[in-house]
Amino acid sequence: MTLLLYTAGSDRTIWLDALKHSFPEARIDDWPSARADETDYALVWKPPADLLRALRRAKAIFNLGAGVDAVPDAAVLAREVRLVRLEDAGMAEQMAEYVVHAVLHCYREFDAYVEQQRRGEWLPRPRLAKSDFVVGILGLGVLGRAVAAALAPFKFPLRGWSRTPKRLAGVETSHGLAALDSFLSGVRLLVCLLPSTSQTRGLLDRARLSRLPRGAYLVNVSRGALVVDDDLLALLEDAHLAGAMLDVFHDEPLPATHRFWHHPRVTLTPHVSAVTLIEESVAQIAAKIRRLEAGLPIGGIVRHEHGY
Ligand SMILES: NC(=O)c1ccc[n+]([C@@H]2O[C@H](COP(=O)([O-])OP(=O)(O)OC[C@H]3O[C@@H](n4cnc5c(N)ncnc54)[C@H](OP(=O)(O)O)[C@@H]3O)[C@@H](O)[C@H]2O)c1
């Protein structure tokens, strides 16, 4: 078996060691490689277009992340080649930790208590009604469902929105663009877990974010491209939105001059909400390769027509 590993320069040695451990018999090529057109399976992160063109005969290309927006578009990637994304592989637990933290932080008004402490104020705040603190999750895929499950014990009213209909115990679900405005109205904390596709980029603009009630929060843990930054800043500045917790940005690292850095209502983290775990990822990919070699179906195949 021949494998090709391209990690855009990050952690190559660790990936290589994990791969050698799972496939001791395989030849593992690097890129550029004269032999890419002989590759059976490629593992890639942020692959250049030339590499994808060279992989037209591969049995599958595994993306080393859950989102495939860094893979050049379908025009480059031959439609007959399977592109496979990571499904959870240790990311769901991390995402659940991050979002549960964000929800509890906002609901229990920890920012207000930090300010009170700075002012030396001992002032218990009235408890917010939980039944009014609706948490809305955009995207009910692997990660959105894990987040909903992690929030369930806290008994917030949960809403979820997806492209196709979904049934999820304890979550009021809706789907499709036509239902989005009514989904957003009444949501006190919006979690964005949608992939970045031609359908979702710029989805959270001023009009959509204004559907959230005054005092709502945004938590974006999927991709920066989903949000129109200037619209978000305008709504934070006129206090329509109480705050935003952002892990992902249009440009990463976030440019030093970006207004998010020092905005008092923005908390930001450097794209760490759920990182790819090498051991778990290689184990998942190895299991899928074994299934493909045995002629069995696998999950996580990207549908070119939907872009995720
Ligand atoms: N910040 C980080 O560290 C980090 C880490 C991992 C992943 N991510 C991001 O998280 C995203 C979600 O990951 P996942 O594994 O949960 O993906 P997934 O399993 O593919 O789920 C995607 C969800 O989004 C929905 N969706 C897609 N396009 C839509 C549209 N146009 N309208 C409405 N709903 C739409 C899908 O609807 P259906 O259910 O109907 O298909 C599905 O529920 C990734 O694409 C990636 O960008 C970020």
Side-chain angles (χ1 to χ4, degrees):
M1 182 184 303
T2 57
L3 306 175
L4 185 144
L5 174 67
Y6 179 83
T7 61
S10 67
D11 297 331
R12 182 178 161 81
T13 316
I14 312 175
W15 281 102
L16 200 54
D17 287 348
L19 261 186
K20 281 180 182 157
H21 183 73
S22 289
F23 295 99
E25 75 291 1
R27 187 186 85 203
I28 306 174
D29 291 329
D30 196 359
W31 172 262
S33 152
R35 299 185 289 190
D37 59 348
E38 298 164 15
T39 298
D40 292 315
Y41 298 101
L43 286 73
V44 301
W45 182 240
K46 298 186 178 170
D50 283 357
L51 168 56
L52 292 179
R53 284 194 200 95
L55 291 172
R56 281 176 178 272
R57 282 201 279 274
K59 296 180 193 172
I61 300 174
F62 291 93
N63 182 60
L64 300 178
V68 293
D69 45 301
V71 177
D73 67 35
V76 170
L77 189 67
R79 287 207 158 228
E80 58 276 16
V81 178
R82 292 185 196 95
L83 175 64
V84 187
R85 59 185 208 87
L86 289 178
E87 298 173 284
D88 183 353
M91 283 185 274
E93 185 179 322
Q94 299 174 67
M95 203 52 101
E97 291 162 359
Y98 190 106
V99 176
V100 167
H101 165 83
V103 170
L104 298 181
H105 186 93
C106 297
Y107 172 63
R108 297 300 302 263
E109 304 185 286
F110 283 109
D111 284 340
Y113 284 113
V114 168
E115 280 171 29
Q116 288 184 194
Q117 181 184 348
R118 286 206 186 104
R119 292 195 295 268
E121 272 175 14
W122 180 274
L123 188 64
R125 301 170 65 83
R127 196 168 162 77
L128 298 178
K130 200 171 247 185
S131 55
D132 292 341
F133 205 91
V134 178
V135 178
I137 304 168
L138 294 171
L140 290 176
V142 175
L143 301 180
R145 288 196 307 268
V147 162
L151 285 169
F154 296 100
K155 300 189 172 70
F156 293 100
L158 298 178
R159 284 188 198 169
W161 184 76
S162 51
R163 188 177 56 80
T164 57
K166 292 277 170 301
R167 286 181 71 169
L168 220 56
V171 182
E172 187 189 323
T173 57
S174 57
H175 67 279
L177 212 49
L180 184 56
D181 280 354
S182 71
F183 167 88
L184 293 171
S185 60
V187 165
R188 284 291 297 279
L189 187 146
L190 182 67
V191 181
C192 184
L193 267 168
L194 293 168
S196 172
T197 69
S198 58
Q199 307 291 305
T200 63
R201 283 188 274 278
L203 188 78
L204 297 179
D205 60 7
R206 186 167 191 143
R208 296 247 167 63
L209 291 171
S210 300
R211 306 294 300 194
L212 300 171
R214 199 167 180 82
Y217 296 88
L218 171 69
V219 177
N220 187 12
V221 278
S222 66
R223 288 293 183 262
L226 280 281
V227 175
V228 180
D229 289 359
D230 285 343
D231 292 358
L232 171 59
L233 283 161
L235 291 169
L236 288 167
E237 264 142 43
D238 75 11
H240 183 86
L241 293 183
M245 188 154 185
L246 308 173
D247 184 50
V248 286
F249 305 92
H250 285 262
D251 296 317
E252 295 181 3
L254 183 66
T257 53
H258 200 292
R259 284 193 290 156
F260 284 156
W261 274 113
H262 301 292
H263 198 288
R265 296 182 197 271
V266 172
T267 302
L268 63 84
T269 47
H271 202 142
V272 291
S273 51
V275 299
T276 296
L277 302 178
I278 296 177
E279 224 173 277
E280 286 81 347
S281 303
V282 168
Q284 181 174 106
I285 291 167
K288 288 185 181 183
I289 289 177
R290 279 187 213 105
R291 285 184 67 84
L292 288 173
E293 289 293 298
L296 296 168
I298 59 165
I301 296 177
V302 173
R303 291 143 304 178
H304 292 275
E305 66 280 24
H306 298 309
Y308 70 99

